[in-house]
Structure formats: structure tokens, C-alpha cells
Amino acid sequence: QVQLVESGGGLVQAGGSLRLSCAASGSIFSINAMGWYRQAPGKQRELVAIITSGGSTNYADSVKGRFTIFRDNAKNTVFLQMNSLKPEDTAVYYCNANLRATMFLGGMDYWGKGTLVTVSS
């Protein structure tokens, strides 16, 4: 069993900052990539940021320059530092990990339950 547990969501005023964290635990052989997605009310889930095991990152255009993703490989944890938050960043943020549970399995996607970020104007 693999679990992803997010934390750090909450209510913040526009222009403020929040840091999300996500820890992966359980049967983990290796982690390929970890990332953050978000889903606003009435909208589809979208990629926010992703980071590979080698440290390469990719961001949605809407968050470039404001959000930073980084990870602690030793702790199987990924973080999302969110600065200059805007009301349109309001969404449920989901952690994703593409990982191999054992050496005999290929990479599979696992998801956290989500954490709500609300940005007030």
C-alpha cells in the first residue's frame, strides 16, 4: 500500500503565501516524479507543477514565477511554495507521485486526497 498525505492548505489573502507538502509512504521501491495538480469548482483537474527524480521541473504558465516545487528525496516528500497568491489559485490541490512499488513493477500513478487552498480578494 502506498499513501500520499498532503498538508499545508488553508485560507490566505491575495498576495500571501502558503507552502504545501506531500509525503509518500508505504511500499516504495523508487519514485520517478512527484507533482501537484489542482481542481477548481466546475473545472477540470490541471497540472500545477511537476518535479522528476533528477530535479527537472515543469510549471503551468499561470503559476510560473510565483510557485516553486522542490522535493526531499530522502523523505519521499514534495513541497509547493506558493507566493503572490491570487483568488484564481483557489482550488483543491492534489499531490501525485509516479512510482514503482516494487522492483518488479513499472511506474504507476498515486494520488493524495487533496488539500483546499482558498485565496480571498
Side-chain angles (χ1 to χ4, degrees), residues 1-3 25-28 101 110:
Q1 288 281 355
V2 175
Q3 281 189 318
S25 63
S27 175
I28 299 172
Y110 294 84

Side-chain angles (χ1 to χ4, degrees), residues 11-81:
L11 173 65
V12 65
Q13 287 188 330
S17 298
L18 281 175
R19 177 177 291 187
L20 306 182
S21 62
C22 170
S25 63
S27 175
I28 299 172
F29 175 71
S30 65
I31 299 179
N32 299 321
M34 299 186 78
W36 292 93
Y37 291 71
R38 67 186 181 187
Q39 187 166 18
K43 295 187 177 182
Q44 289 188 331
R45 190 174 297 189
E46 63 176 0
L47 172 69
V48 176
I50 191 168
I51 184 167
T52 68
S53 59
S56 297
T57 59
N58 192 33
Y59 295 91
D61 287 343
S62 59
V63 307
K64 283 181 181 177
R66 299 188 297 123
F67 292 8
T68 302
I69 188 170
F70 56 101
R71 61 191 281 184
D72 183 337
N73 289 335
K75 297 182 178 180
N76 292 335
T77 301
V78 65
F79 304 89
L80 185 68
Q81 178 66 41

